[in-house]
Amino acid sequence: MPTDERPDRRWPADERLAVELIARTDYGRVATSMRAMPFLAFARHIVVDGRVLLRMPLNCGYHLACAGSVVAYGTDNLSCARRGEGLWSVQIVGRCEPVEPTAAELELFGPAPPLVDGAPYEPVYLGIEPQFASVNSTDGDAGGHLSPVL
């Protein structure tokens, strides 16, 4: 939904933190189910106006299970935290829908890989409107509860 059509959101601090933390990373994992079996798939993401946009490989078909479903999307700094930096993990939960990114959004995604699983990379784009957010951290300051996004 274009920015000017989105409802005004006044998010509690924890939910803002969740979206801000997602914006600090480039990749995450989307969780949903396919044929009643849970699965995780990697995705490149950007954050635009509080919404998380995903770029996934078309040839894997994971977008078919995500589009129109409620999904969880998470990322963390577990592999990139510097010595002395607190560890954190974040997830959002919300409805996932196909999107057509703008030229500016496509630029934010950056270059796509040439291949995925040996096949030429063809992207598909999805958007998640966060409804719930969860943040966990080792510095004791981020909480650890699942909160609705207002």
Side-chain angles (χ1 to χ4, degrees):
M1 178 181 306
T3 303
D4 56 330
E5 293 179 22
R6 297 196 54 196
D8 181 32
R9 292 189 144 200
R10 294 196 172 92
W11 291 2
D14 285 351
E15 286 73 26
R16 281 193 310 272
L17 176 61
V19 174
E20 289 168 10
L21 289 171
I22 289 173
R24 292 184 192 178
T25 62
D26 292 332
Y27 291 88
R29 290 164 292 298
V30 64
T32 192
S33 62
M34 184 182 292
R35 294 183 209 95
M37 299 296 291
F39 78 90
L40 292 173
F42 74 93
R44 169 74 170 97
H45 66 262
I46 61 172
V47 175
V48 177
D49 193 27
R51 190 168 73 158
V52 178
L53 303 182
L54 308 180
R55 179 178 71 190
M56 300 177 73
L58 179 70
N59 66 313
C60 294
Y62 297 140
H63 66 286
L64 298 172
C66 295
S69 298
V70 173
V71 302
Y73 188 75
T75 191
D76 56 57
N77 74 340
L78 302 179
S79 66
C80 63
R82 294 186 268 277
R83 183 177 298 269
E85 181 180 4
L87 299 174
W88 54 264
S89 173
V90 61
Q91 78 169 2
I92 58 164
V93 177
R95 188 162 177 84
C96 185
E97 297 293 345
V99 297
E100 283 295 326
T102 66
E105 291 166 348
L106 288 172
E107 191 172 315
L108 289 173
F109 276 110
L115 300 172
V116 171
D117 294 338
Y121 186 84
E122 188 176 342
V124 63
Y125 298 93
L126 302 166
I128 304 170
E129 188 76 38
Q131 299 299 310
F132 295 93
S134 175
V135 178
N136 298 98
S137 71
T138 59
D139 60 14
D141 168 13
H145 58 282
L146 193 62
S147 302
V149 177
L150 304 174

